[in-house]
Amino acid sequence: MSTTTLQSATKRAAEALDVAGLRRQFPILGRAARDRPLVYLDNAATSQKPQAVIDALLRFYTEDCSNIHRGAHLLGQRASEAYDAARVRVQRFLGAGSDSEIIFVRGTTEAINLVAQAFGTRHLEPGQEIIISTLEHHANIVPWQMLCQRRGTRLRIVPVDETGQLVMDAYERLLGPRTGLVAVTHASNALGTVTPLREIIALAHRQGVPVLVDGAQAVPHRRVDVSQLDCDFYAFSGHKVFGPTGIGVLYAKRRWLEAMPPYQGGGGMISSVRFQGTTYADPPHKFEAGTPHIAGAIALGAAIDFLDQYSGRAIEEYEQQLLEYATQSLASVPGLRIIGTAPDKVPILSFVLQGIHPHDVGTILDRYGIATRTGHHCAQPLMERFGVPATTRASLAMYNTHHEIDALIDALHKVNEVFR
Ligand SMILES: *Cc1c(COP(=O)(O)O)cnc(C)c1O
């Protein structure tokens, strides 16, 4: 498709979603960076926050601030109700059967560590294998390596092909009687690859193997239904889906939550405590020791409400148009190679410019007010697979525009002028 045709298709999809109106909800997008309009293309690291989320945080601290579940007073009641309501919002957002299957944690990292600790210690035996993939973020590698050291389990790795997609034949061969768990990403933060989750889960379940999904990069872009997926665990971070930092979610099937021991001990997770022994509360409370990030959970609920105002299909169609436009535009930059060309991707573009260090690319882009990320993106084994130490990554959200892609391309031409 010609760039002009692609540009008009992108414009039409932007109008269908009302991107202009959507942008006005994000106060930071109207600000300047380095005396230029901010072009924020670092959404895979963290997304910006709409006014509704900022207001929810402010409202909690100015009107409802209290601890939850233990206060015999009005504010305690309000805070508890709002916190419980946020859990129900997350439940509906993920299509979970019950709000008791939703655990509030700090983020994807803590969610995976919780499963590695609680599930790994109880349900994995020495000699059993955990299958992960080359695409994984360090958060879905290191907790398993730590578990392997403790439990004597082993890691097996599903390779990726030249496009950055999983090699499914290899996955099938790795699955076997020794497999105790499959832990795989829904979408790669470094390349954008969307993995064939349904197939991955069905193949694992055929062998009776449970599956954990790292959903950090999927929930901002696709509507997820954990009941349809039938995954056993699903993790995501609030801050990547327009919510605050410090709050995240672990979905787990009720039967696992009942079978697993607690992750941390303390207040809020017990039924009764005596020095002779303690009994635990039912899930989800069993896995939420101590005072949680109450304001964060409530504001995550507001982020979900915000997202729910828009059609999931319109978001996906627009982002896919924008991804296609950006992919084609980047191809016009001399010496540029995109890493990660799988047919099914969320709007993430990782690239290298021949002979120029990604860090220098990022620094020059920043002078033009363009925020990208450079480095290994917490996916060092994946960088190694593609023979690069680092890339520059432009990661898009539903509020980005084709004008911003044009600004990126112009600035990349400038980078080339500086270095060639
Ligand atoms: C960001 C990210 C994580 C880690 O999330 P935190 O919010 O830092 O805990 C894990 N996996 C993927 C795919 C990510 O993008």
Side-chain angles (χ1 to χ4, degrees):
M1 218 188 281
S2 81
T3 308
T4 6
T5 324
L6 208 51
Q7 203 181 70
S8 3
T10 310
K11 270 187 198 153
R12 274 196 306 279
E15 275 157 25
L17 180 61
D18 185 22
V19 173
L22 198 158
R23 285 182 71 83
R24 284 195 292 275
Q25 317 262 333
F26 289 79
I28 211 169
L29 295 180
R31 300 183 73 92
R34 313 247 181 243
D35 296 328
R36 286 165 187 268
L38 168 69
V39 175
Y40 188 75
L41 306 177
D42 194 17
N43 294 284
T46 201
S47 60
Q48 297 302 343
K49 320 305 171 200
Q51 191 64 50
V53 167
I54 300 167
D55 287 347
L57 285 170
L58 204 61
R59 197 178 324 113
F60 176 76
Y61 288 120
T62 47
E63 294 174 20
D64 300 334
C65 182
S66 165
N67 211 327
I68 50 167
H69 298 320
R70 288 169 287 249
H73 55 79
L74 175 69
L75 296 187
Q77 245 169 38
R78 276 206 216 139
S80 302
E81 277 165 20
Y83 184 74
D84 293 344
R87 198 190 303 279
V88 174
R89 282 204 184 89
V90 174
Q91 175 211 341
R92 297 206 182 116
F93 178 62
L94 287 181
S98 157
D99 63 342
S100 69
E101 297 179 311
I102 303 298
I103 315 290
F104 283 123
V105 290
R106 279 194 298 134
T108 308
T109 305
E110 188 174 41
I112 298 173
N113 275 277
L114 189 162
V115 178
Q117 282 275 350
F119 173 88
T121 312
R122 173 75 52 95
H123 296 281
L124 294 177
E125 300 294 331
Q128 276 199 299
E129 296 175 349
I130 300 157
I131 297 182
I132 63 171
S133 87
T134 309
L135 285 177
E136 303 314 314
H137 186 284
H138 294 167
N140 200 27
I141 301 174
V142 184
W144 306 117
Q145 288 178 324
M146 289 164 66
L147 175 69
C148 287
Q149 278 174 358
R150 274 201 319 275
R151 284 296 286 162
T153 46
R154 283 185 61 203
L155 270 189
R156 304 303 301 272
I157 317 293
V158 183
V160 301
D161 63 21
E162 272 306 310
T163 71
Q165 186 50 278
L166 299 183
V167 181
M168 288 299 281
D169 291 352
Y171 169 61
E172 278 195 63
R173 282 196 299 276
L174 285 174
L175 267 174
R178 279 195 298 274
T179 315
L181 180 75
V182 172
V184 71
T185 196
H186 194 163
S188 156
N189 66 304
L191 308 184
T193 314
V194 176
T195 58
L197 262 195
R198 278 172 182 280
E199 203 183 335
I200 290 169
I201 294 165
L203 285 166
H205 282 179
R206 205 176 294 164
Q207 313 248 2
V209 176
V211 180
L212 173 140
V213 180
D214 173 350
Q217 294 298 338
V219 289
H221 306 292
R222 307 248 165 133
R223 292 285 148 102
V224 172
D225 188 318
V226 291
S227 300
Q228 270 181 13
L229 279 174
D230 198 30
C231 53
D232 297 85
F233 304 97
Y234 196 96
F236 76 90
S237 298
H239 70 98
K240 291 182 179 175
V241 62
F242 316 113
T245 55
I247 188 79
V249 170
L250 173 69
Y251 157 82
K253 283 185 180 165
R254 174 91 194 181
R255 69 184 178 97
W256 292 122
L257 292 177
E258 275 164 8
M260 291 184 334
Y263 167 52
Q264 294 177 328
M269 52 77 74
I270 54 93
S271 164
S272 83
V273 175
R274 294 203 174 74
F275 286 121
Q276 293 82 354
T278 287
T279 53
Y280 305 126
D282 288 332
H285 310 291
K286 178 179 164 186
F287 295 96
E288 292 181 5
T291 301
H293 187 0
I294 305 166
I298 294 168
L300 174 58
I304 292 171
D305 282 348
F306 171 81
L307 205 53
D308 275 347
Q309 291 173 275
Y310 300 91
S311 131
R313 229 184 71 203
I315 293 172
E316 206 179 313
E317 278 177 8
Y318 174 59
E319 290 186 349
Q320 287 299 311
Q321 280 294 335
L322 204 56
L323 173 64
E324 206 180 319
Y325 181 70
T327 305
Q328 188 161 320
S329 307
L330 282 171
S332 72
V333 177
L336 187 142
R337 174 163 74 103
I338 293 182
I339 303 199
T341 51
D344 194 8
K345 278 178 61 170
V346 293
I348 290 176
L349 300 118
S350 240
F351 56 87
V352 288
L353 268 180
Q354 203 182 1
I356 309 174
H357 195 281
H359 184 74
D360 294 331
V361 177
T363 306
I364 297 179
L365 292 179
D366 176 58
R367 279 192 214 148
Y368 292 94
I370 300 170
T372 58
R373 184 150 296 244
T374 62
H376 54 61
H377 316 297
C378 295
Q380 279 183 326
L382 184 60
M383 296 291 112
E384 202 177 314
R385 159 67 181 80
F386 284 93
V388 292
T391 69
T392 303
R393 180 185 72 184
S395 53
L396 315 180
M398 59 186 189
Y399 44 61
N400 288 121
T401 66
H402 70 89
H403 298 295
E404 292 179 307
I405 303 299
D406 294 344
L408 170 68
I409 303 301
D410 287 346
L412 284 171
H413 284 295
K414 298 268 179 19
V415 174
N416 265 336
E417 281 167 26
V418 171
F419 283 92
R420 284 177 221 280

